Amino acid sequence: MTQTTEKTRRIPAAGAVGFTASPALARDLQLVLADLVELHLQAKQAHWNVVGPGFRSLHLELDDITAAAREASDLVAERLRALHGVPDGRSGTVAATTTLAAFPGGERSTAEVIEAITNRLHGVASTIRVVRGSVDAEDPVTTDLLHSVVETLEKHAWMLGAAGREPRR
């Protein structure tokens, strides 16, 4: 019989499942996922319907935000799957669980869009910050992923917000 010491390397048994998210971790990641999917949809809605001064640059920035939110939602969903959870990005689930306010229909001025999407970028980042502590307690690897998502969202919020204001004096 081999004695196990701290220096002995443990090899997982054949068929080992690996780390599995607790129900609380899966719920936290699902909440983040819903907000990211909603952000992706709202940024695209804004992209299609923005009008006014600075249209072209805002139109293009909204595409960048849409792509970032879509990529982040894919990373979060795939992380959830890697932890043996089941992500739900269906429209009904997203609409029922997102923390983001609904985006208004119709044409929207560049100023309205800048304010609305900047607020939503901060909103998703806030959702992540709310769940970060409990996620970190269970799975620091997932926390690293969430940190990178927050960094991206806050960069877009800064860039978008700067486009809609005058210098502070």
Side-chain angles (χ1 to χ4, degrees):
M1 180 171 181
T2 304
Q3 192 174 34
T4 303
T5 67
E6 289 181 0
K7 294 181 181 180
T8 303
R9 182 175 176 202
R10 294 183 182 207
I11 300 172
V17 174
F19 180 76
T20 299
S22 69
L25 176 57
R27 278 191 308 273
D28 286 345
L29 293 179
Q30 179 61 42
L31 182 61
V32 171
L33 176 62
D35 277 3
L36 286 166
V37 171
E38 183 66 17
L39 176 62
H40 155 251
L41 294 171
Q42 289 193 21
K44 200 58 169 177
Q45 177 70 18
H47 165 87
W48 292 323
N49 292 294
V50 65
V51 297
F55 161 80
R56 181 161 171 69
S57 61
L58 181 53
H59 183 75
L60 296 174
E61 177 66 14
L62 289 165
D63 259 347
D64 291 345
I65 292 167
T66 299
R70 186 171 186 209
E71 180 180 345
S73 68
D74 193 50
L75 290 171
V76 169
E78 289 180 355
R79 181 65 186 159
L80 185 51
R81 287 299 296 151
L83 300 178
H84 310 285
V86 181
D88 190 346
R90 294 174 299 159
S91 59
T93 300
V94 170
T97 60
T98 185
T99 67
L100 302 182
F103 194 83
E107 289 184 339
R108 297 286 140 195
S109 71
T110 53
E112 287 176 293
V113 167
I114 288 169
E115 180 179 5
I117 298 299
T118 300
N119 288 341
R120 283 152 177 84
L121 286 160
H122 286 301
V124 179
S126 291
T127 296
I128 293 170
R129 289 178 185 281
V130 166
V131 303
R132 180 181 58 196
S134 60
V135 170
D136 193 48
E138 184 171 342
D139 186 26
V141 174
T142 299
T143 306
D144 288 345
L145 182 150
L146 295 179
H147 286 163
S148 69
V149 172
V150 168
E151 180 182 14
T152 298
L153 296 173
E154 290 179 344
K155 180 180 178 183
H156 281 292
W158 158 60
M159 294 178 77
L160 191 59
R165 68 175 187 82
E166 295 295 320
R168 293 184 186 115
R169 306 271 179 205

